[in-house]
Amino acid sequence: MSGLRGRYLVPFSVVPLSPTNIGKVGRTLVSSYRAKDVADAYPSAVGLDVSDACNIACTVCSREIDWDKRHTSILKLRDFVHIFDQIRPVYLSLSGYGETLLNKELPAMIAHATKAGSRVNVVSNGTLLDETRARALLDAGLAKLKVSIDGADPEVYAKHRVGADLEKVLHNVERLLLMRDALRLPSPVVEIQFVLFRENIDQVCKLIELCHQRLPGVEPNLLVMFTYGKQAGFVERSIPDHDVDALAELGRARVLATKYGFRRTLGSIDAAIVQLTRDLSDAPCYVPWYSCLISTDGEVYPCCYHSIRGVSVGNVLREPFAEIWNGQRMRAFRHALREKRCADKVCASCRYEDAPMERVFGVVDRVPGLGR
């Protein structure tokens, strides 16, 4: 069963949602549909940074380009519990501006959230995914693992992920899959996260072939590089709108993904094409009604893209989440986003749209008595 495909609401596992979680997602849907300044439900999806420390240097990472350094590099388990227990989201994405596996308390965090009924997703560069850590993730009940790979050729990968070795990462992923299957576990689902930028667009088809040949059941998910309000350093590396070579490569990738039955990859390719060919500055966005991002310091942001030089709406380690989620700053942000999305510089440069949410709402609008 799949969740909503927005910023964090994504397919996590073949295991159906519980009735309680279905109810939570339903309430979030209604809240997003109404799109009032005050949200009617807590977010169903939350991104929570657990590590701003890293063991490698990536050329297109915010850490290397323009990172707003925080005081806390590793989220402590007690702070995680304090934050999580206030929200208890259906979908929880554990990431950060560093490597998640550097947080030694990560398995305990996953176990705590999983026991409460959340589907937990972890983003990792895969370099530290040894047998011990892999077993800890499996034992904790991880629902999904996203492994970031920005090149299928070893030399391209090494150029953009300085200090990492592609073959080692692939070996680590293969071992995790073998361990998961040996234990007959339905999860974690494993996905390759591939950020598209100028210098690696020619690697897309190669990555699809690589997954097909070496990682059965694993698909690439393509993400167009974000510019955080068209900031210097990001713009120079990102793919320009209507780039002919990029669109041609995505077209070839689409044929290949269709050949191998990579449905998730196909969806991300289609989304990337839309982002590169259509002005989305005023497209509807419902993220602040169903999701938010929380940093290692407890700062709450309306979405993950506002966490770099963006707007914090409160700190959950200093004030209750309930007061932040519908506080004055969050209400003002929702109001401005609904009135004119591109008035905010980060939102204006955002290439992402909530098309799946719009389709759901389009159906609801046709039901007598339910239209907005």
Side-chain angles (χ1 to χ4, degrees), residues 148-164:
S148 299
I149 293 179
D150 295 331
D153 291 331
E155 60 274 14
V156 174
Y157 175 89
K159 177 182 177 181
H160 296 293
R161 292 193 165 259
V162 181

Side-chain angles (χ1 to χ4, degrees), residues 35-90:
K36 300 183 298 184
D37 294 352
V38 174
D40 299 320
Y42 270 10
S44 289
V46 170
L48 181 54
D49 289 351
V50 298
S51 173
D52 285 349
C54 200
N55 62 319
I56 63 174
C58 302
T59 59
V60 296
C61 178
S62 304
R63 289 176 53 86
E64 307 302 322
I65 300 174
D66 184 21
W67 186 42
D68 184 9
K69 294 183 179 180
R70 302 189 175 95
H71 299 295
T72 305
S73 60
I74 298 291
L75 181 69
K76 293 181 172 59
L77 178 60
R78 65 170 182 271
D79 290 335
F80 170 86
V81 172
H82 174 76
I83 296 169
F84 175 86
D85 285 355
Q86 294 183 66
I87 311 171
R88 293 179 177 265
V90 178

Side-chain angles (χ1 to χ4, degrees), residues 4-277:
L4 300 169
R5 283 175 54 192
R7 202 68 65 249
Y8 294 109
L9 291 173
V10 294
F12 269 70
S13 167
V14 295
V15 181
L17 290 175
S18 68
T20 298
N21 279 343
I22 290 175
K24 287 182 179 180
V25 172
R27 288 190 292 274
T28 307
L29 262 175
V30 172
S31 178
S32 302
Y33 173 75
R34 291 175 176 171
K36 300 183 298 184
D37 294 352
V38 174
D40 299 320
Y42 270 10
S44 289
V46 170
L48 181 54
D49 289 351
V50 298
S51 173
D52 285 349
C54 200
N55 62 319
I56 63 174
C58 302
T59 59
V60 296
C61 178
S62 304
R63 289 176 53 86
E64 307 302 322
I65 300 174
D66 184 21
W67 186 42
D68 184 9
K69 294 183 179 180
R70 302 189 175 95
H71 299 295
T72 305
S73 60
I74 298 291
L75 181 69
K76 293 181 172 59
L77 178 60
R78 65 170 182 271
D79 290 335
F80 170 86
V81 172
H82 174 76
I83 296 169
F84 175 86
D85 285 355
Q86 294 183 66
I87 311 171
R88 293 179 177 265
V90 178
Y91 299 101
L92 178 66
S93 181
L94 302 181
S95 185
Y97 291 96
E99 171 49 37
T100 51
L101 295 183
L102 284 173
N103 191 322
K104 296 180 180 179
E105 296 182 303
L106 178 65
M109 295 175 181
I110 297 169
H112 181 84
T114 300
K115 186 177 180 180
S118 292
R119 301 286 182 85
V120 184
N121 158 54
V122 165
V123 181
S124 169
N125 60 39
T127 59
L128 302 177
L129 189 62
D130 56 22
E131 185 173 355
T132 300
R133 288 188 175 93
R135 184 55 191 256
L137 295 180
L138 294 172
D139 290 344
L142 180 64
K144 188 170 190 176
L145 176 66
K146 293 184 179 182
V147 180
S148 299
I149 293 179
D150 295 331
D153 291 331
E155 60 274 14
V156 174
Y157 175 89
K159 177 182 177 181
H160 296 293
R161 292 193 165 259
V162 181
D165 177 77
L166 178 60
E167 184 57 38
K168 178 181 177 181
V169 171
L170 292 173
H171 174 72
N172 289 346
V173 174
E174 288 173 321
R175 180 173 53 214
L176 174 71
L177 294 171
L178 289 172
M179 293 171 66
R180 180 198 66 186
D181 294 347
L183 294 170
R184 298 183 180 276
L185 297 174
S187 62
V189 172
V190 178
E191 176 181 286
I192 300 302
Q193 185 164 280
F194 186 85
V195 177
L196 290 167
F197 50 93
R198 290 177 189 252
E199 294 185 56
N200 75 345
I201 188 65
D202 65 331
Q203 298 288 296
V204 179
C205 289
K206 294 180 179 180
L207 183 64
I208 293 174
E209 287 285 5
L210 180 64
C211 287
H212 173 69
Q213 295 172 12
R214 293 209 36 187
L215 305 172
V218 176
E219 298 184 26
N221 178 31
L222 277 56
L223 302 172
V224 176
M225 183 180 176
F226 193 66
T227 62
Y228 299 96
K230 296 186 178 180
Q231 291 187 52
F234 295 99
V235 174
E236 294 85 347
R237 293 169 171 83
S238 66
I239 299 171
D241 291 342
H242 304 284
D243 186 88
V244 175
D245 292 336
L247 292 172
E249 182 67 15
L250 289 173
R252 290 188 287 271
R254 202 182 191 291
V255 172
L256 199 57
T258 301
K259 174 183 176 181
Y260 294 139
F262 283 5
R263 295 178 59 188
R264 174 62 173 154
T265 302
L266 273 172
S268 68
I269 291 172
D270 289 342
I273 292 173
V274 167
Q275 291 154 29
L276 293 174
T277 56

